[in-house]
Amino acid sequence: MMMSEKMPAMLNLRRPRDGARRTARGAALVAGAAAALCLCICPAGAQTMPKQQPAQKGAVTATIPMAVPPSTSAGPPLTLSLSDALTRAEKNSPDFQTAVTAVKLAHEGQVQASAAMKPQFSYLMQYLNTQGNGISPVGRYVTNDGVHVYRAWGVMRQNMPGSFFIDAGPRKAAYMKAVADAEQEVALRGLNVTVTRDYYALLVAERNYAIAQQGLKDSTHFLQITEALEKGGESAHADVIRFQLEVNQKQRALDDARLAMSSARLNLSVLLFPNFNENFTVVDDLDTPPPIPSFQQAEGMAKDRNPDLRAALAIYNASGADVAMAKSAFFPSLGIEFDYGIEANAYALHSVNLTAPKVMQPNLGYFVTYSLSLPVWDWGTLRSNLHIAEDQKQLARLNLSYAQRQMLNSLYNSYNEAAVAWNELGNLRRSADLAARNLELVTMQYEAGETQVLQVLDAENSLEQARNDNAAGAARYRDALAALQMLTGSF
């Protein structure tokens, strides 16, 4: 850096036009040669490029190729749009499939809660073999009226606790199903944000790689022009060195862009495929962004279709059902059991009466058991359960209020982010076009010897930066749009 400060004339050479300029050119060539000599003898700390030395022990002597994952499918690569990527990610995302399973479990909970409100039917068959007493035909146990007792019952049982009369169980199950549905929607929208970010990260990485390739090509072109000018005596050797350094830098930038592109492809592949597969391409739609709706439309969609609000509301309603169930535990519980079938000393519809052998008696019949259970004293357990349910309901109310405020906060931030990104798209495109036009003009001026080396380098870097900024801005808008749709749903 000290050499460039001491000899600025070396970097501001122009093509000579007359005899006076030829004299200046000769002096500049001498200065350039002196500068090159100084650069060759500068210490390593000056970031010079020494000549190739014999390989030392342990030194890197060859370029190591990048690791390329094996492709699981032969043939042409699979072309995926963003919609295709989202569909594939839904099938292979563990988090989303966990939410899907939770919805299925909540549905089964609804089925069981509804079944608990209905009578239960069962069949009972028993044979009671009782030791006789040796005196009468009855057994030694007073509950049995004979040595051999047969039971074959059809049983209908209905339990009716206090919560039965307020339909608390099915209501609680329905609220939990609503919570699971909302959480599944949250997981789906979160997955969409992740896939969208990785999808456009890959597109940006591919564009950056193409831009780096073009940058290396342009730098090599200018290096060749400068070498030709140097041979004709119209450019200093310092300019050749400067462009050679630029080519080396562009090569490193190309390697970094290749690495970033490979990483972005791997990140997206993990989301989309059940097996390790990189044999796919993505559709580049960065230049055709969808428009953003008005804020009034986005706000209406967020209020009606926001899954976080639905989940918070369902949790609050479920906590209300818990309070009702806790209160119902203080009331009596009823139970009915209806048994119909046989309980006799013979497994038959009719049998001989043991006390009157000539009399045939029917065995088929029924009996009904009615029960009433009333809580009297439980050392405060029921009241404690009620307090727990009420505290949970109070917390659910607070969470619902916070979710509403948080939704509005996120809506304003996400919408403003998307609006700013949308407004920047046109500016970024124009900047990229202007930078490309500027490089064309500077190239013509440099070939005619009418501009400086630094202007060429600045035009190259400006074009590369403008193109990278354009791709990054387009991806930023897509990411902001996905974050907004996390709150509002698709539009």
Side-chain angles (χ1 to χ4, degrees):
M1 298 299 295
M2 295 178 63
M3 295 301 301
S4 61
E5 294 176 359
K6 291 181 179 179
M7 292 183 294
M10 180 185 65
L11 302 177
N12 297 319
L13 296 177
R14 298 190 181 184
R15 180 174 295 182
R17 296 295 185 184
D18 49 27
R21 292 191 176 182
R22 290 191 184 95
T23 303
R25 182 191 63 190
L29 288 174
V30 173
L37 180 60
C38 293
L39 289 173
C40 291
I41 64 176
C42 280
Q47 299 182 359
T48 59
M49 297 181 61
K51 295 182 179 180
Q52 185 175 1
Q53 301 293 333
Q56 299 178 359
K57 184 178 181 179
V60 178
T61 59
T63 301
I64 300 177
M66 293 178 58
V68 179
S71 177
T72 58
S73 60
L78 180 66
T79 301
L80 299 176
S81 65
L82 178 59
S83 177
D84 298 332
L86 294 175
T87 301
R88 285 180 169 272
E90 291 178 16
K91 299 177 181 179
N92 299 295
S93 171
D95 292 338
F96 178 68
Q97 290 302 321
T98 299
V100 172
T101 302
V103 172
K104 295 178 180 178
L105 297 180
H107 172 71
E108 298 303 326
Q110 278 188 293
V111 173
Q112 295 181 17
S114 176
M117 301 291 293
K118 300 177 176 63
Q120 305 299 313
F121 297 88
S122 61
Y123 175 75
L124 173 66
M125 185 172 183
Q126 294 178 327
Y127 167 64
L128 284 69
N129 187 11
T130 305
Q131 182 180 8
N133 54 27
I135 301 174
S136 63
V138 298
R140 296 193 179 190
Y141 294 94
V142 296
T143 55
N144 296 335
D145 60 355
V147 176
H148 306 287
V149 177
Y150 300 88
R151 288 177 180 171
W153 292 347
V155 182
M156 187 278 290
R157 182 180 294 106
Q158 178 67 63
N159 295 321
M160 293 177 287
S163 59
F164 176 87
F165 300 99
I166 58 175
D167 200 31
R171 286 196 296 122
K172 173 68 178 295
Y175 295 141
M176 297 312 297
K177 175 63 164 52
V179 172
D181 289 336
E183 291 179 347
Q184 177 184 349
E185 183 66 20
V186 171
L188 177 59
R189 295 185 184 185
L191 178 63
N192 290 348
V193 171
T194 301
V195 173
T196 300
R197 183 181 297 113
D198 288 350
Y199 183 91
Y200 289 106
L202 176 57
L203 284 179
V204 171
E206 290 178 344
R207 286 198 175 190
N208 290 344
Y209 180 72
I211 293 169
Q213 283 182 316
Q214 185 62 41
L216 178 59
K217 180 180 178 181
D218 292 341
S219 296
T220 304
H221 175 65
F222 281 111
L223 175 61
Q224 294 171 350
I225 293 176
T226 307
E227 289 175 342
L229 292 175
E230 183 190 19
K231 291 179 181 179
E234 300 181 22
S235 178
H237 184 64
D239 294 346
V240 176
I241 294 175
R242 191 62 181 268
F243 276 114
Q244 182 61 59
L245 293 174
E246 184 72 9
V247 169
N248 295 343
Q249 179 183 355
K250 297 297 184 182
Q251 182 61 56
R252 294 193 300 271
L254 180 62
D255 292 338
D256 291 339
R258 183 185 296 110
L259 175 61
M261 182 174 63
S262 177
S263 299
R265 180 174 295 277
L266 288 173
N267 292 337
L268 185 59
S269 174
V270 170
L271 294 174
L272 303 187
F273 298 99
N275 300 322
F276 202 66
N277 182 19
E278 277 198 318
N279 191 27
F280 70 95
T281 61
V282 291
V283 178
D284 190 345
D285 58 351
L286 279 173
D287 295 329
T288 56
I292 184 175
S294 66
F295 180 76
Q296 289 73 18
Q297 293 174 327
E299 185 178 21
M301 288 186 288
K303 290 180 179 179
D304 297 335
R305 298 156 53 182
N306 185 266
D308 290 316
L309 287 183
R310 293 206 310 269
L313 180 60
I315 292 175
Y316 174 72
N317 291 333
S319 65
D322 288 335
V323 172
M325 294 174 67
K327 290 181 178 179
S328 67
F330 290 92
F331 296 96
S333 297
L334 299 178
I336 299 176
E337 181 174 316
F338 178 84
D339 301 298
Y340 185 81
I342 296 173
E343 182 174 357
N345 300 118
Y347 189 67
L349 297 179
H350 297 83
S351 62
V352 178
N353 192 315
L354 297 178
T355 59
K358 295 183 179 181
V359 177
M360 296 294 293
Q361 62 182 18
N363 292 334
L364 190 63
Y366 72 89
F367 70 93
V368 183
T369 302
Y370 302 93
S371 60
L372 174 66
S373 176
L374 180 65
V376 177
W377 184 257
D378 63 354
W379 304 98
T381 302
L382 296 180
R383 189 166 298 277
S384 176
N385 291 336
L386 177 60
H387 292 165
I388 292 174
E390 291 175 340
D391 291 340
Q392 290 177 338
K393 182 179 180 180
Q394 182 65 27
L395 179 61
R397 181 186 293 111
L398 179 63
N399 289 336
L400 175 59
S401 176
Y402 180 77
Q404 292 171 338
R405 300 193 305 272
Q406 187 66 28
M407 186 274 294
L408 291 175
N409 174 63
S410 300
L411 177 64
Y412 278 96
N413 289 332
S414 299
Y415 189 87
N416 291 337
E417 174 71 18
V420 171
W422 171 263
N423 295 333
E424 289 179 351
L425 291 179
N427 189 300
L428 291 171
R429 293 195 194 98
R430 288 190 297 270
S431 297
D433 295 339
L434 290 174
R437 180 57 180 163
N438 179 54
L439 182 60
E440 292 177 1
L441 296 176
V442 170
T443 301
M444 291 186 293
Q445 292 174 353
Y446 183 74
E447 291 175 347
E450 298 177 356
T451 190
Q452 303 171 0
V453 175
L454 289 179
Q455 289 180 326
V456 176
L457 297 177
D458 180 68
E460 279 190 294
N461 294 331
S462 296
L463 176 59
E464 187 171 342
Q465 185 65 40
R467 287 175 173 173
N468 288 334
D469 290 343
N470 183 35
R476 175 192 176 190
Y477 174 69
R478 296 296 187 130
D479 292 345
L481 210 61
L484 181 61
Q485 291 178 338
M486 180 80 178
L487 303 170
T488 63
S490 301
F491 49 75

